[in-house]
Amino acid sequence: MIRNRVEAAKKAQEAHKQSILKSLEHRLQVARAKGDDNLVRQIEAEMRSFG
C-alpha cells in the first residue's frame, strides 16, 4: 500500500513538473513572438532554475 502511494506521489510530482515546464515553454514562445527580450530572459532564467 505504501509503495503504491509513494509511486503515485512520484508520478504526480513528475506530471506537475512537466505541466509547469510546458507552461513556461508556452510563455517563452509568446514572449519571443512579441519581441519582449527582457521577458524572454526572465522566463529562460526561471526555466533554468526550475528544470
Side-chain angles (χ1 to χ4, degrees), residues 23-35:
S23 175
L24 286 169
E25 183 60 39
H26 175 71
R27 289 174 50 208
L28 184 59
Q29 289 175 359
V30 171
R32 284 183 177 148
K34 290 183 176 183

Side-chain angles (χ1 to χ4, degrees), residues 4-38:
N4 288 340
R5 286 184 192 171
V6 170
E7 289 176 16
K10 286 181 182 179
K11 286 182 182 181
Q13 185 177 18
E14 182 61 28
H16 181 63
K17 180 179 178 179
Q18 292 303 317
S19 176
I20 291 172
L21 289 172
K22 184 177 176 182
S23 175
L24 286 169
E25 183 60 39
H26 175 71
R27 289 174 50 208
L28 184 59
Q29 289 175 359
V30 171
R32 284 183 177 148
K34 290 183 176 183
D36 190 338
D37 294 334
N38 187 40

